[in-house]
Each structure stands twice: as C-alpha cells, then as structure tokens.
C-alpha cells in the first residue's frame, strides 16, 4: 500500500482503485486524496471493506458521533479508530454494541467489564459474551440473567461456571433448552434432567440415549411432569409393562401405546383397571365391551 503514496493523483483520487488498495491493507486510505478521506459515503465503504481504514479518515469524520456509529455498524473493529473522546464515551459505546455486538471485542478492558454494556451486546448477540471480561463470564448471576433471554450464551461462560452444579441446576430451571449447551456429561445426569423435566416435560429429549431408554428413569420423569408423554421414545410404547406402569401414573399414556397394545382386549382390561381414565384411549371397538369397562 505504500506505493499509493507515490502514485499519480489520478490513482489516489480513483475510488475503485483506492477501495481495492484498502481491501488489501486498511492503511492504504492514509495515501488517498484528502477529498476521499473526507467523503462520508466513500469512507463508510472503505470501513466496510477494512475496519482499520477509519484510522486514516479525516478527523472531523472520526469525531462525528453519527458517522462513527454508522462506521461501527458496518465493521465492529472501527470502534478502535473513532476519535479518542468517543472511545471513552460510555453512552456512545452502548449505542455501538447495540448496532454491532462485535464492537465489544475491540473496546478497552474497563468497558468489557461493564455489566450494562456487556448485557446490551449479549442481548444483541449471545456470542458477544466471549469478548467480555472473564469476571463477567464467570459471574453466575450475570450469566443467568442473560440466559433468561437466550440459552445459547452458555458455551461462552467460563469452564468453571459451566461445571458448577448449582449454576447448572438454576440454568435448567430457567429453560430446558439450556441442556443443549451444557457439557456432554450433563445429559446423563439423572438429577439434573429430572430438575429440568419438572419445569418442562420436553427436557427429556435432551437426556442421553441411555436415560431415554431407561424405563425407571422415564417413569420417574413422567411422575414429575405429564408432558413427558409426548417425548418418550417410540420403542418404549411397545413395551407391555412400561405402558401399563405409565398408564397407572397417567391414563393418557395409553394414547401413545403401540397399535397392537391399544387393540389388545386383555391389555385394555389391565390398563383400565390400573387407571379408569385410560378408557378414553382404548380402541373404539373395545371401549364398548362390558369386561373392559368393568
């Protein structure tokens, strides 16, 4: 890009030529004609191509709050090159991360540790948490606050927090979706899954294959939340004993049983004896038989 410094004026005034030079190296804007470095639209195009180009724009543009925000919106790294007074203006930075959460990555340490500023960035894009100060990424209260809006924030918390039992329990109480973003061994943790199921029956679908095939575990989950019925593995609904145990807990379980069980007269009799509410779920032809009803 240094060659541009010695290039004829026609090249230094050529928008397309300078943009290509900036694409290769942001410092190229330094050698562009002054009129180009003062041109709002041109500089924004240059910043979109390479955020470091803003460093070489005319000072009046770098001091212009609205222009600076437009630049940051196009390229987060531009926040490094706005005028010094804006780099230390908390209100400006708050607007900046709302427009482009990536800007948090290029801010000073004190701002990456600012709870409200980081929260604004993370609410815009949960992945922005990875740019926050480590103290915030390991702050149980802060991460749980963000998690209420978006569970995908979990992978960006500290490893220490993500293995903290109390934190994980609080997380699944907020949303069973948190299980999708937890360490691999979390989906095989019976107590943790049961805690999640208590709040939302759908949580059982995030349990390990081993737990989802475990009759006793699934029945225990069903006792905690009847909505588990909709998320039980299909193969269990062909298990004669499992279905009867499930019906005893919740008569509606018979509705999910395999067809050969729902049409089995002897099975229907056993199911209704376990739970009278199951009568609504037996096949229509069996529902009218006296020995099934009685």
């Amino acid at each position: 890009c240094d060659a541009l410094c010695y290039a004829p004026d026609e090249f230094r005034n050529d928008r397309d030529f300078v943009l290509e030079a900036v694409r290769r190296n942001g410092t190229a804007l330094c050698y562009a004609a002054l009129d180009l470095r003062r041109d709002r639209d041109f500089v924004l195009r240059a910043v979109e191509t390479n955020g470091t180009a803003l460093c070489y724009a005319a000072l009046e543009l770098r001091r212009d709050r609205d222009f600076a925000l437009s630049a940051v919106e196009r390229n987060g790294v531009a926040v490094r090159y706005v005028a010094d007074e804006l780099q230390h203006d908390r209100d400006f930075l708050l607007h900046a991360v709302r427009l482009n959460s990536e800007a948090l990555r290029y801010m000073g340490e004190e701002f990456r540790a600012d709870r409200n500023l980081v929260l604004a960035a993370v609410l815009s894009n949960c992945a922005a948490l990875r740019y926050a100060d480590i103290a915030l990424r390991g702050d149980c209260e802060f991460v749980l606050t963000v998690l209420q809006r978006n569970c995908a924030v979990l992978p960006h918390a500290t490893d220490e927090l993500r293995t903290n039992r109390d934190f994980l329990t609080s997380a699944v109480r907020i949303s069973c979706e948190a299980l999708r973003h937890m360490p691999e061994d979390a989906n095989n943790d019976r107590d943790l899954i049961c805690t999640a199921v208590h709040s939302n029956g759908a949580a059982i679908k995030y349990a390990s294959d081993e737990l989802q095939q475990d009759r006793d575990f699934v029945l225990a989950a069903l006792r905690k939340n009847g909505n588990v019925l909709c998320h039980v593995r299909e193969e269990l609904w062909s298990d004669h004993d499992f279905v009867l145990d499930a019906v005893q807990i919740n008569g509606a379980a018979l509705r999910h049983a395999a067809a050969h069980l729902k049409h089995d007269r002897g099975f229907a009799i056993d199911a209704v004896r376990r739970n009278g509410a199951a009568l609504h779920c037996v096949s229509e032809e069996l529902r009218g038989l006296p020995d099934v009803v009685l």
Side-chain angles (χ1 to χ4, degrees):
C1 69
D2 288 348
L4 189 59
C5 176
Y6 306 102
D9 287 349
E10 62 182 287
F11 288 114
R12 296 169 62 224
N13 280 288
D14 186 312
R15 291 170 175 263
D16 292 335
F17 183 84
V18 174
L19 279 176
E20 175 57 25
V22 167
R23 185 186 67 79
R24 299 184 184 191
N25 191 326
T27 61
L29 189 64
C30 176
Y31 305 115
L34 182 57
D35 285 347
L36 287 185
R37 290 188 286 119
R38 287 175 171 169
D39 186 312
R40 300 173 71 93
D41 291 337
F42 177 79
V43 173
L44 286 178
R45 288 179 64 193
V47 168
E48 193 166 0
T49 300
N50 191 323
T52 61
L54 185 62
C55 181
Y56 307 99
L59 182 58
E60 61 264 29
L61 290 184
R62 294 168 54 225
R63 284 176 170 168
D64 184 309
R65 188 184 189 88
D66 292 336
F67 176 83
L69 285 174
S70 294
V72 173
E73 183 176 15
R74 286 164 172 75
N75 196 323
V77 73
V79 78
R80 270 185 179 171
Y81 306 107
V82 299
D84 287 346
E85 59 267 27
L86 291 181
Q87 289 187 45
H88 296 87
D89 183 328
R90 185 177 178 280
D91 185 60
F92 169 81
L93 296 178
L94 192 59
H95 280 81
V97 296
R98 286 172 177 161
L99 290 171
N100 188 342
S101 62
E102 186 78 7
L104 182 66
R105 179 180 184 178
Y106 304 102
M107 291 181 184
E109 186 176 344
E110 65 176 299
F111 297 111
R112 288 186 288 109
D114 184 305
R115 298 177 76 90
N116 291 330
L117 200 150
V118 173
L119 181 61
V122 172
L123 291 181
S124 174
N125 180 357
C126 64
L129 183 63
R130 66 180 183 267
Y131 304 131
D133 183 83
I134 192 170
L136 279 183
R137 292 193 291 114
D139 185 313
C140 179
E141 181 182 355
F142 179 77
V143 177
L144 287 175
T145 296
V146 178
L147 188 140
Q148 291 178 31
R149 308 288 188 91
N150 193 333
C151 293
V153 75
L154 275 179
H156 308 296
T158 61
D159 290 341
E160 182 179 0
L161 188 61
R162 294 175 67 239
T163 55
N164 181 291
R165 179 73 184 195
D166 292 337
F167 169 76
L168 295 180
T169 300
S170 297
V172 298
R173 283 175 176 157
I174 291 173
S175 173
C176 69
E177 290 290 317
L179 288 165
R180 296 177 56 192
H181 307 284
M182 289 185 177
E184 291 184 8
D185 58 347
N187 67 358
N188 203 39
D189 186 316
R190 290 172 176 265
D191 293 337
L192 191 63
I193 300 294
C194 278
T195 297
V197 165
H198 188 72
S199 300
N200 188 334
I204 199 168
K205 66 186 179 183
Y206 298 121
S208 65
D209 288 342
E210 179 183 346
L211 288 183
Q212 290 192 55
Q213 294 167 2
D214 185 317
R215 296 173 67 261
D216 293 336
F217 174 77
V218 175
L219 290 171
L222 180 58
R223 291 187 185 96
K224 287 184 174 291
N225 193 324
N227 290 330
V228 165
L229 288 175
C230 300
H231 306 284
V232 173
R233 288 282 182 87
E234 186 175 351
E235 56 265 30
L236 285 179
W237 292 123
S238 295
D239 183 318
H240 178 283
D241 293 336
F242 170 81
V243 176
L244 285 181
D245 287 341
V247 165
Q248 191 165 353
I249 297 169
N250 188 326
L254 188 58
R255 184 177 292 117
H256 301 274
H260 73 277
L261 292 178
K262 284 192 287 188
H263 292 85
D264 184 301
R265 180 172 182 160
F267 180 82
I269 292 173
D270 286 343
V272 173
R273 285 177 179 172
R274 298 261 187 128
N275 191 329
L279 183 62
H280 296 289
C281 306
V282 299
S283 62
E284 189 173 345
E285 64 270 22
L286 295 179
R287 200 177 305 156
L289 299 178
D291 54 347
V292 173
V293 176
L294 297 177

